[in-house]
């Protein structure tokens, strides 16, 4: 009821370089921390208005003027009467997801985080223009059949033949895929 008493500022040092935004059910931004970016809230608001209490991940939003982009993540706020009360959103910089595992680079490896909507949230090593794209249906066939598994495929992103393992992340709408170059494994 009183935005001045929300005290989101004390979270700023913990959340660097991201930020929190509190958005009312009518779309009005009530409070933010200094690092918050509220550009991704309309899509998340639409999803969370009709959903139960779920954690939602929005599509990555590119940065401007050479700055890194961010991924909006949010949770529905439930009003005292049980109705939709708005969204609590965190703007996670893509750099926080991209530095996933430098140790597998020597094995021509790759780590990818993908949403349940088939959008790449992060990829290491980074390939310019891949964050935010949708995976091709042929690459998703194994991932859709099981919550975890293994496979072998030539990446359409960098052309590397990899053996990979994947697992849907518990309680999150995302899948983690880790691959190592086929030739590196047998060298």
């Amino acid at each position: 009821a009183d935005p001045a008493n929300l005290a989101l500022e004390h979270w700023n040092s913990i959340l660097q370089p991201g930020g929190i935004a509190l958005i009312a059910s009518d779309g009005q931004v009530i409070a933010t921390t200094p690092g918050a970016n509220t550009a991704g809230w309309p899509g998340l608001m639409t999803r969370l208005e009709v959903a139960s209490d779920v954690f939602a991940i929005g599509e990555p939003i590119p940065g401007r003027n050479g700055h890194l982009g961010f991924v909006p993540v949010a949770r529905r706020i439930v009003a005292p009467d049980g109705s939709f009360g708005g969204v609590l959103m965190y703007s996670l910089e893509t750099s926080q997801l991209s530095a996933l595992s430098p140790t597998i680079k020597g094995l021509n490896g790759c780590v990818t985080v993908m949403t349940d909507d088939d959008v790449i949230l992060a990829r290491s090593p980074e390939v310019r223009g891949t964050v935010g794209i949708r995976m091709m249906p042929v690459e998703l066939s194994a991932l859709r059949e099981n919550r975890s598994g293994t496979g072998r495929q030539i990446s359409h992103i960098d052309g590397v033949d990899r053996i990979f393992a994947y697992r849907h992340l518990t309680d999150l709408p995302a899948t983690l895929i880790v691959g190592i170059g086929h030739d590196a494994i047998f060298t």
Side-chain angles (χ1 to χ4, degrees):
D2 182 7
N5 290 327
L6 287 175
L8 289 178
E9 296 79 27
H10 80 279
W11 287 94
N12 196 47
S13 62
I14 298 168
L15 299 172
Q16 295 277 333
I20 294 177
L22 179 62
I23 302 165
S25 60
D26 64 0
Q28 177 185 355
V29 177
I30 295 174
T32 63
T33 60
N37 187 328
T38 58
W41 74 263
L44 290 171
M45 181 80 80
T46 302
R47 290 163 83 186
L48 293 171
E49 269 181 317
V50 296
S52 59
D53 184 25
V54 296
F55 180 78
I57 300 174
E59 293 195 15
I61 296 173
R64 295 185 190 137
N65 301 325
H67 292 96
L68 293 168
F70 75 96
V71 175
V73 295
R75 181 156 227 134
R76 171 189 173 105
I77 296 172
V78 179
D81 66 358
S83 65
F84 177 66
V87 170
L88 183 64
M89 186 179 93
Y90 177 62
S91 49
L92 177 68
E93 280 198 3
T94 55
S95 64
Q96 292 174 281
L97 293 171
S98 296
L100 293 172
S101 180
T103 58
I104 66 165
K105 287 182 184 177
L107 297 173
N108 213 359
C110 179
V111 177
T112 304
V113 179
M114 181 183 72
T115 68
D116 286 353
D117 297 329
D118 309 327
V119 175
I120 295 175
L121 291 179
R123 185 180 190 281
S124 179
E126 293 182 59
V127 174
R128 188 179 184 104
T130 56
V131 172
I133 66 168
R134 289 196 186 279
M135 296 283 279
M136 297 174 69
V138 68
E139 294 177 317
L140 300 174
S141 59
L143 276 66
R144 293 293 167 246
E145 292 173 15
N146 302 299
R147 304 286 281 177
S148 65
T150 60
R152 179 180 175 190
Q153 190 156 24
I154 297 174
S155 169
H156 81 279
I157 294 172
D158 60 12
V160 176
D161 183 5
R162 290 190 178 95
I163 295 174
F164 65 90
Y166 64 93
R167 178 176 298 275
H168 190 272
L169 302 176
T170 305
D171 299 326
L172 293 174
T175 298
L176 176 65
I177 307 164
V178 178
I180 297 177
H182 179 268
D183 292 344
I185 289 174
F186 292 102
T187 297

